[in-house]
Amino acid sequence: MEFLQGDLIGTILAVLGAAFAFVLTGIGSSRAVGVAGQAGAGVLTEDPDRFVPVMILQALPSTQAIYGFVIAFLIIGNIVTGQPLDFGSGLILFLASLPVGIVGYASAVLQGRVSVAGIHMVAKQADSMIRGVILALMVEMFAILSLIISILIIGKA
Amino acid sequence: MIQSMDTKYAYAVSRIRVIEQQMLSGNVLQRMIEAESAEEAFKVLKEVNYGFSANDSSVFDYERILNEEFDKVYQLLMEIAPNPEAFDLFFIKNDYHNLKVYLKAELSNQDVHNQYLAKPSLYSPAKIGDMFRERVFADLPKIMVEAIGACFEAFSKTADPQLIDIIMDQALYRHMSALASKLGNEFISQIVTINIDLANLKIVLRTKLINQGWDFLEQFLIPGGSFGIDFYQDLFEYEFKDFPKAYAETQYSQLAIASMESYKYTDSLAGFEMLCDNYLVNLLKQTKFAIFGIEPLVTYLLAKEMEIKNVRIIMVGKINHLAQDVIRERLRETYV
């Protein structure tokens, strides 16, 4: 456990933050897109013509993983090889991963449920995709806000 | 509204949501009722692809087409449900029906005709036939085996075939309750409980109509519903017009009021039975917007059963040249 006192502690915290941001949002989006995909397959088994609206609705909850990826990328960008981060900067970068990681995970899973409901709407009426997309995008807003907060925190590192 | 988080049903529920669209709407049923003849009404069934062989059948084969349609529902559920055995409790009534047929045939030394057997069942009728020949029932669930034993014993004492119905019906509901509690799904348990409560109410009403006493009634009552034996003992003392009072504090208060109203005007229990069916359909409607869980599948199965019942009412009415209004009065509420 020597490294905890050493020069590397700041860098390790930052790397942990990057991993945290992507792992959580990645799991959230995978779960959501996965379940929406199952629901989509159910509709497409009966009616293959509805592929486009079903695919769009399925893809919506994948954005959280992209936000997590962006934050992870920005955090890693702050780490310069050979120049260890100080403890304060490392901690700030770690904390920056929390908003997008936690809010991203929750909003992905919940947006997935709205996507499934939207796919059921498409199952009933082929032209209801836009309404389903808008309902799902309401959940998206919170993921976007968490992304912005995470970016602002990184700026303070 | 009923909501479940059980995402393993995501695929099945979506598929059901598409298939549900093809259920017969009130308009289609109206068209059948307004058809000029039974043949014309049957044509509507051909149009909507009812059953497997409607196109090369005549109007008098409607019963076979309806059975085929139900078989379709069964096959679909077995295909898409992640755990098909969850639906056992909805098909096991056919097994009990088949057991009754075999028991009665056995005890009156007659052969079993295929037309009396119900499908789809968990145990194939042929297998049950073999069991009766060899008198070995070890492969059946315990509740069934016990019921069969009880039937043989009761029959050897009194030779009254009605006892077979009583014993088997009670075993059926016990079996359904046992399967439901094993599943641990609230919606399914609710359906079983409602079925038992309404069956018991039906038994009380019928017993009063044929002027039999409490001793007679007691042996028919099915345990496991929302009310104990004391409730029915009190209920039995009431006049029909006071029945709603007994149910006032329960979920059946509206149903009891409407049923007794209908009895007052028609002097028959047909209205009551229709209201019971409508009560169930209204419960099913609560799952209309569920996105996950087994509930929408159960709803489809029971709604389809109700739809087939409606089509049967129409076809029987058309074949017997009943007036359109008479048929319409008997129709159950539709799910779609």
Side-chain angles (χ1 to χ4, degrees):
Chain A
M1 301 299 270
E2 217 172 71
F3 63 89
L4 282 179
Q5 284 92 42
D7 294 347
L8 278 176
I9 176 99
T11 308
I12 287 170
L13 277 175
V15 171
L16 266 180
F20 187 79
F22 187 71
V23 166
L24 268 190
T25 52
I27 293 174
S29 285
S30 305
R31 280 187 58 182
V33 176
V35 77
Q38 286 181 51
V43 173
L44 296 179
T45 310
E46 295 298 323
D47 189 353
D49 292 342
R50 304 200 176 172
F51 178 64
V52 173
V54 164
M55 185 196 67
I56 292 173
L57 281 162
Q58 187 204 351
L60 286 178
S62 56
T63 51
Q64 280 84 349
I66 298 175
Y67 302 156
F69 177 78
V70 168
I71 293 304
F73 199 83
L74 291 177
I75 292 175
I76 294 168
N78 275 286
I79 304 170
V80 183
T81 319
Q83 290 176 18
L85 279 171
D86 62 87
F87 176 76
S89 304
L91 187 61
I92 290 176
L93 288 175
F94 175 74
L95 294 176
S97 71
L98 296 183
V100 83
I102 296 170
V103 176
Y105 174 81
S107 71
V109 170
L110 294 172
Q111 193 177 38
R113 293 175 66 87
V114 184
S115 281
V116 172
I119 287 170
H120 290 174
M121 266 164 71
V122 170
K124 288 204 170 81
Q125 300 147 336
D127 62 347
S128 59
M129 180 196 79
I130 299 296
R131 282 175 294 237
V133 169
I134 291 173
L135 292 180
L137 286 183
M138 296 291 166
V139 188
E140 188 73 29
M141 186 173 71
F142 306 107
I144 295 174
L145 292 179
S146 72
L147 171 72
I148 295 171
I149 295 298
S150 287
I151 291 175
L152 290 177
I153 297 175
I154 291 174
K156 302 295 174 197
Chain B
M1 197 159 83
I2 288 165
Q3 276 286 14
S4 163
M5 305 288 267
D6 205 349
T7 55
K8 69 171 182 279
Y9 285 90
Y11 170 82
V13 174
S14 300
R15 227 176 129 177
I16 285 291
R17 291 291 176 231
V18 182
I19 294 170
E20 255 176 14
Q21 306 298 304
Q22 294 150 18
M23 283 181 70
L24 304 188
S25 65
N27 285 341
V28 176
L29 296 180
Q30 285 307 325
R31 255 179 65 211
M32 289 184 70
I33 294 173
E34 284 158 15
E36 275 176 19
S37 60
E39 281 79 10
E40 290 294 316
F42 191 66
K43 259 189 200 156
V44 177
L45 288 185
K46 287 184 190 173
E47 271 171 38
V48 296
N49 278 325
Y50 233 56
F52 297 114
S53 59
N55 273 325
D56 26 57
S57 309
S58 88
V59 59
F60 296 105
D61 296 322
Y62 77 91
E63 193 59 46
R64 199 188 72 232
I65 303 301
L66 298 188
N67 287 336
E68 287 177 2
E69 181 68 15
F70 192 63
D71 218 29
K72 246 192 212 172
V73 176
Y74 173 75
Q75 288 177 15
L76 174 76
L77 290 177
M78 293 303 114
E79 183 195 328
I80 66 175
N83 52 340
E85 67 281 358
F87 293 93
D88 284 0
L89 78 119
F90 295 106
F91 296 110
I92 205 162
K93 61 170 180 267
N94 287 341
D95 288 281
Y96 277 92
H97 171 88
N98 292 344
L99 283 177
K100 277 188 209 172
V101 172
Y102 274 104
L103 275 165
K104 287 178 185 172
E106 180 84 14
L107 296 171
S108 58
N109 290 322
Q110 289 176 29
D111 288 330
V112 170
H113 293 287
N114 264 335
Q115 71 203 55
Y116 298 124
L117 295 169
K119 272 198 319 184
S121 56
L122 304 188
Y123 301 92
S124 81
K127 214 167 119 190
I128 291 183
D130 289 343
M131 290 181 189
F132 269 94
R133 260 186 297 283
E134 293 157 17
R135 294 282 165 136
V136 181
F137 302 103
D139 290 347
L140 295 175
K142 200 167 149 243
I143 300 180
M144 271 186 192
V145 179
E146 282 171 5
I148 295 169
C151 283
F152 278 122
E153 202 189 305
F155 194 81
S156 67
K157 280 184 198 148
T158 60
D160 177 7
Q162 201 186 15
L163 283 172
I164 295 173
D165 288 327
I166 298 175
I167 294 169
M168 280 300 172
D169 285 345
Q170 291 195 341
L172 165 64
Y173 283 106
R174 249 206 337 273
H175 207 152
M176 282 173 71
S177 298
L179 289 173
S181 55
K182 212 167 85 187
L183 277 178
N185 178 294
E186 203 185 321
F187 179 64
I188 292 176
S189 300
Q190 209 182 343
I191 289 174
V192 173
T193 308
I194 288 174
N195 270 320
I196 293 177
D197 290 343
L198 295 180
N200 277 337
L201 175 57
K202 210 173 287 178
I203 292 167
V204 174
L205 291 170
R206 290 216 177 114
T207 312
K208 282 182 84 76
L209 279 182
I210 56 171
N211 287 322
Q212 290 282 351
W214 169 252
D215 294 339
F216 176 85
L217 169 65
E218 201 182 356
Q219 57 180 341
F220 287 94
L221 285 176
I222 302 152
S226 337
F227 312 109
I229 200 114
D230 298 343
F231 175 85
Y232 292 108
Q233 207 157 9
D234 292 342
L235 184 68
F236 188 63
E237 303 299 322
Y238 283 30
E239 296 281 328
F240 274 3
K241 65 174 169 41
D242 295 326
F243 268 44
K245 273 186 215 150
Y247 283 96
E249 299 291 311
T250 70
Q251 54 172 323
Y252 308 107
S253 59
Q254 293 300 318
L255 174 72
I257 294 170
S259 304
M260 293 313 132
E261 199 73 357
S262 132
Y263 178 77
K264 207 166 78 188
Y265 291 115
T266 60
D267 236 4
S268 98
L269 291 181
F272 163 68
E273 294 194 2
M274 188 180 84
L275 289 162
C276 287
D277 286 344
N278 290 351
Y279 187 84
L280 186 68
V281 172
N282 280 316
L283 176 76
L284 298 181
K285 281 182 181 168
Q286 291 180 21
T287 68
K288 240 184 179 163
F289 303 108
I291 56 174
F292 299 129
I294 194 175
E295 291 84 358
L297 276 68
V298 171
T299 292
Y300 179 69
L301 168 66
L302 297 179
K304 204 62 194 170
E305 222 175 347
M306 208 58 86
E307 174 189 292
I308 290 169
K309 196 179 220 172
N310 270 337
V311 171
R312 181 175 289 120
I313 291 170
I314 296 175
M315 289 311 297
V316 170
K318 289 314 263 187
I319 288 173
N320 293 302
H321 304 288
L322 291 186
Q324 290 183 11
D325 284 342
V326 177
I327 302 177
R328 225 167 261 140
E329 268 170 25
R330 295 181 186 180
L331 230 46
R332 270 64 175 161
E333 226 171 273
T334 50
Y335 168 72
V336 283

